Amino acid sequence: MTKKHTIILQPSGSRGQVEEGISIRSAARDLGVEIESICAENATCGKCMVLIEEGRFEKYNMDSRRENVSPVTTEEAAYFARRPKLLKDKGWEVGQVRLSCQCKIHGDVLINVPEESRGNKQIVRKSATQREIEIKPAIRKYLVTMSPPNLERPIADWERLAKGLETSMALVRGTEEKLPRWHEMEIDYQCLRTLSSTLRDAKWNVTVSVWQDREVVQVQAGYHEDSYGAAVDIGSTTVALYLCNLRTGEMLAAGI
């Protein structure tokens, strides 16, 4: 019988029993808490950072310790070593802050999910009224890492990319969502024309932009994070243009 442990996720307060060895990100998803990621759990994007809280929490009758999760991995150590300013600005130390896709649960633990790591964010837009808007961008980015073709698996570049994309989307979004299979996906013709050279120049490690979870509209070599979109408001006498970050919902610029 698989051993189980209690985890508590703050600030949502979600609590539950999870199996030994499951990653924090997967455990959080099972409890209904989404944690950001676009790198398909390759420890590249760093958006799934969480904090391991230590101490005795009488309210929950829990002793939470860093020893109750797996040791810091080589990938995590390398990620944070490249970002000393982040750690200094936040007042965090490695071991306290972890990448939830890499950190496995081996005991009872209380986990704090920082605001920047929370999925399903809501933002407030103010105009004539104040409204909360859930961010659901039409275009999402996914990091896809593939093996190069060989004599044993000489499949076409698009099929190879589509299969890798299917895996990455499932890791980032979860299997609960209804996502297309690789053979149901499409690719923009102009993107297809340069696909072979892009994959080889990138050594089969690319960021793929997908429109409406179905059509690949851009393939970029390496890791790329943000997408940007423009909203145009055409009135009777004026035209207003708003530039937004599609991932965070932040308005970057506006002009009339």
Side-chain angles (χ1 to χ4, degrees), residues 180-199:
R181 296 296 311 278
W182 69 268
H183 54 81
E184 298 173 318
M185 297 180 190
E186 302 174 353
I187 184 170
D188 178 78
Y189 175 68
Q190 295 301 324
C191 184
L192 181 62
R193 290 181 61 185
T194 59
L195 181 62
S196 292
S197 59
T198 300
L199 292 179

Side-chain angles (χ1 to χ4, degrees), residues 201-256:
D201 291 345
K203 296 181 172 31
W204 306 92
N205 186 56
V206 294
T207 299
V208 183
S209 298
V210 184
W211 179 73
Q212 298 289 23
D213 293 336
R214 188 166 296 274
E215 182 180 4
V216 173
V217 294
Q218 186 179 37
V219 179
Q220 298 168 276
Y223 171 70
H224 296 269
E225 191 168 283
D226 288 318
S227 297
Y228 303 95
V232 181
D233 182 5
I234 303 175
S236 57
T237 58
T238 60
V239 176
L241 178 68
Y242 304 93
L243 178 65
C244 299
N245 183 315
L246 298 181
R247 182 179 63 83
T248 65
E250 179 186 3
M251 187 183 299
L252 304 173
I256 298 177

